[in-house]
Amino acid sequence: MFLINKDEMRVWHDKSRRDSLQTGFSGIADMIEDKLVRHPLIEYGGDLARISEERAACRINAPQGRVMFD
């Protein structure tokens, strides 16, 4: 999702590193939500409520955007 633009890739890299130093990993979720708003996917369109719902359901719970299973 962030491999298209070198500037966005740099921001993604920085946020994923910063997020790895704290709990919550919200920087990555912020960036994903922002990109979905700026560049809508067919599944979400411009529906901000749907994007918000998907963010709430986000399972990122580990550094650098990974998902760890219990």
Side-chain angles (χ1 to χ4, degrees):
M1 184 169 187
F2 294 94
L3 300 177
I4 297 171
N5 181 295
K6 287 183 181 181
D7 293 333
E8 286 186 359
M9 188 65 187
R10 259 190 298 279
V11 172
W12 169 264
H13 188 286
D14 292 345
K15 282 187 185 272
S16 67
R17 281 186 169 213
R18 247 181 274 127
D19 271 9
S20 70
L21 302 175
Q22 56 189 323
T23 58
F25 313 106
S26 63
I28 294 170
D30 294 343
M31 192 167 183
I32 293 169
E33 181 178 17
D34 179 61
K35 187 158 187 183
L36 285 173
V37 170
R38 289 184 294 118
H39 306 283
L41 296 176
I42 292 170
E43 299 93 319
Y44 308 112
D47 187 349
L48 298 179
R50 172 81 193 279
I51 293 171
S52 181
E53 288 172 19
E54 293 296 332
R55 180 193 171 120
C58 178
R59 300 205 52 202
I60 293 173
N61 62 359
Q64 299 179 4
R66 295 188 299 263
V67 175
M68 305 295 287
F69 292 101
D70 294 334

